[in-house]
Amino acid sequence: MKSLEDKLFLNRYQADKHPHLRVLDREKCRHCKDKPCTYICPAKVYAWNEKEEIIETAYEGCVECGTCRYGCAHDNIDWRNPRGGFGIMYKYG
Amino acid sequence: MSEKYDVIVVGAGPAGVTTAYLTAKAGLKTILFERGDHPGAKNVMGGVLYRKPTEDVIANFWKEAPLERHVIEQNLWILDKNSVVKAGYRTKAQDQEPYNAFTVFRSRFDRWFAQKAVEAGALLITETVVEDLIWDNHFVVGVKTGRPQGDVYGSVVVLAEGVNSMLTQKAGLQKDGLNTAQLAVAVKEVIALDKEKIESRFNLEEGQGATIELVGDATMGMMGTAFIYTNTDSLSVGVGALLSQVVRQKINPNELLEHLKNHPIVRPLLEGGETKEYLGHLIPEGGYNAIPKVYTNGVVVVGDAAQFVNGIHREGSNMAMISGKLAAETIIDAHKIGEFDERALSHYQKKLSNSFIIKDLKKYQNASGFFETNDHIFSLYPSLLNKAAEEFTTVDNVPKREKQRRIMELVTSERSKLEILRDIYRGWRVMG
């Protein structure tokens, strides 16, 4: 069985140096009970860092579905389209 | 880019390309923006493409477009943990031109389709994000792109930006935004498999295709569906569920897909396949009640951005194309009188209302709300149906009347007769 990391590795990306998504207010995440961003994202871009108490974002694997924008109960994710030509490049689609 | 265009289209998916192709063909100066490296690079669907709506835009497209297989068989599988109840329809009538539907890859089809718009005279600009609308006195007069000196002016802007309808929302056309009960999150894998294996496993001949939609355990009982579609030498295997339920059940979409792929009934179909791509996408499932205002001064909204998806009938690309066509007709008429205000563009709304798009979405306007608040429809009933089938098919010296009694007892132990009658009545109300 392929792991999610293996699957994302199959995809073609044009990685941007500038992230196209960010958590707006880190304080809100600390009080967020379920942290849905950590499980609803198909590419698992968001992960809770227990030690630092922050959401870490691996934006490079984003498949640009937009689920996090709506799934964050606190409207705390600023997600934009990556700059023109950057991000996921589907071969099949 | 200081020239003025007649038509600015934002997004080269099926809706936007349709509008651009038709307005360019009518001689209107058309510019088509796409944020990806090529049209289709950001686009995802299951993907079944329907012949009739596509043919309404490009006659005989199947003779040259990049298609996978023509669909001759469609199935519904109602899954339980290790069993399935199947229903399906297969016909020779859909095995000949002009065909009924095709499996496709958006990245290939949209690229070809956009090229048709270019040949018709549209200017295609790729790798360019449209970031905002330019307003002048309550009138949209152009778009701001992410390029330096990237402002582009035009008589009308067509928002074909897809489900992440940020410009539509920014323009104030979708005042309340969208919520998690109005969107489904879907993931898919393209799994390469030998042609011969596909044809023998799905009982197909060369070129023929089959589709399977799966409910029940396929979505772990959440409101949604899974699918398996045959391509030429690969399978498209995916699953989608309402975002509100995914949030509530705390299930990762990739884990949901792995659950489907490893289901004992599904696994043998995929055996020996090799995953080539992993995709994720949002699907607008809010239906009629989620449709934004689809026009304002200098703007029309088409396709997914306008929430034109009929989830129950697995229709979306057809609504995208036909809404794109109706928008193009409205714009061509508006161009003749030189007026692009709300009054002129309101004809788009009228055309939509007279079409199957609004009629169908209105018909099912209460369906997704009903399913969303009645979880058991997607979990309990598939399981009961499988258990009834198990009882029915097991020959064990038990008299048939006793078997019927057992099935009834099984059903009513889970849900009372009154509740079942109410489910049927309500189901009929929202679906019928």
Side-chain angles (χ1 to χ4, degrees), chain B residues 40-270:
Chain B
K42 303 286 187 181
N43 304 355
V44 181
M45 81 171 187
V48 175
L49 182 84
Y50 300 96
R51 183 262 308 166
K52 175 67 175 126
T54 314
E55 188 186 29
D56 283 354
V57 184
I58 296 187
N60 296 325
F61 71 93
W62 62 85
K63 295 192 158 76
E64 52 168 311
L67 306 167
E68 295 295 309
R69 288 172 181 268
H70 62 268
V71 177
I72 62 153
E73 184 180 303
Q74 308 198 32
N75 301 281
L76 173 66
W77 285 15
I78 302 165
L79 281 189
D80 201 0
K81 294 269 176 286
N82 53 20
S83 65
V84 61
V85 175
K86 299 178 176 182
Y89 178 65
R90 182 186 182 101
T91 172
K92 287 301 280 180
Q94 297 175 358
D95 194 22
Q96 59 203 21
E97 289 193 24
Y99 304 109
N100 176 53
F102 304 90
T103 50
V104 298
F105 291 123
R106 285 247 76 94
S107 185
R108 294 176 184 171
F109 183 85
D110 291 353
R111 189 176 214 163
W112 170 85
F113 192 26
Q115 189 53 37
K116 288 281 152 191
V118 170
E119 285 165 21
L123 176 63
L124 170 66
I125 307 287
T126 57
E127 302 196 342
T128 304
V129 178
V130 171
E131 293 175 346
D132 213 342
L133 300 171
I134 303 172
W135 293 82
D136 180 21
N137 199 18
H138 305 293
F139 225 100
V140 170
V141 294
V143 297
K144 279 187 196 308
T145 73
R147 289 182 179 270
Q149 286 104 45
D151 292 1
V152 178
Y153 292 87
S155 303
V156 62
V157 175
V158 180
L159 295 178
E161 53 184 337
V163 62
N164 284 301
S165 54
M166 288 177 275
L167 297 172
T168 306
Q169 293 176 37
K170 244 182 183 171
L173 298 174
Q174 191 130 41
K175 289 209 166 57
D176 301 326
L178 293 166
N179 64 54
T180 55
Q182 294 170 323
L183 295 160
V185 52
V187 287
K188 164 174 120 167
E189 278 180 40
V190 175
I191 301 176
L193 192 64
D194 291 345
K195 240 170 128 150
E196 296 70 29
K197 279 192 180 150
I198 292 173
E199 284 159 11
S200 71
R201 285 178 196 179
F202 291 82
N203 188 22
L204 301 169
E205 288 169 10
E206 182 153 12
Q208 297 175 338
T211 67
I212 308 173
E213 319 291 329
L214 309 94
V215 295
D217 193 52
T219 58
M220 294 182 173
M222 292 188 286
M223 178 186 162
T225 49
F227 59 86
I228 302 170
Y229 301 150
T230 57
N231 304 310
T232 304
D233 49 15
S234 65
L235 300 174
S236 291
V237 181
V239 58
L242 213 61
L243 181 52
S244 55
Q245 303 209 343
V246 172
V247 169
R248 205 153 60 218
Q249 308 268 348
K250 299 192 174 61
I251 295 171
N252 175 255
N254 177 53
E255 283 158 26
L256 192 58
L257 181 55
E258 285 300 326
H259 173 78
L260 172 75
K261 286 167 59 194
N262 290 296
H263 189 283
I265 304 291
V266 171
R267 197 173 49 220
L269 287 176
L270 318 180

Side-chain angles (χ1 to χ4, degrees), chain B residues 326-342:
Chain B
L326 299 178
E329 290 170 8
T330 306
I331 291 165
I332 292 164
D333 286 346
H335 184 75
K336 281 181 198 147
I337 54 167
E339 286 174 16
F340 298 92
D341 58 1
E342 282 218 356

Side-chain angles (χ1 to χ4, degrees), chain A residues 1 7 10-11 34 39-42 44 64-65 67 69-70 81-82 84-86 88-93, chain B residues 35 41-44 105-107 127 129 164 169 180 188-189 247 250 252-254 258 275 277-278 280:
Chain A
M1 194 176 99
K7 289 190 199 179
L10 299 169
N11 290 348
D34 292 330
Y39 58 83
I40 59 173
C41 169
K44 288 216 169 184
E64 295 170 34
C65 61
T67 303
R69 276 183 74 223
Y70 296 102
N81 286 313
F86 287 101
I88 187 89
M89 295 164 77
Y90 285 123
K91 292 185 292 263
Y92 298 92
Chain B
R35 67 188 183 91
K42 303 286 187 181
N43 304 355
V44 181
F105 291 123
R106 285 247 76 94
S107 185
E127 302 196 342
V129 178
N164 284 301
Q169 293 176 37
T180 55
K188 164 174 120 167
E189 278 180 40
V247 169
K250 299 192 174 61
N252 175 255
N254 177 53
E258 285 300 326
T275 301
E277 190 163 71
Y278 172 76

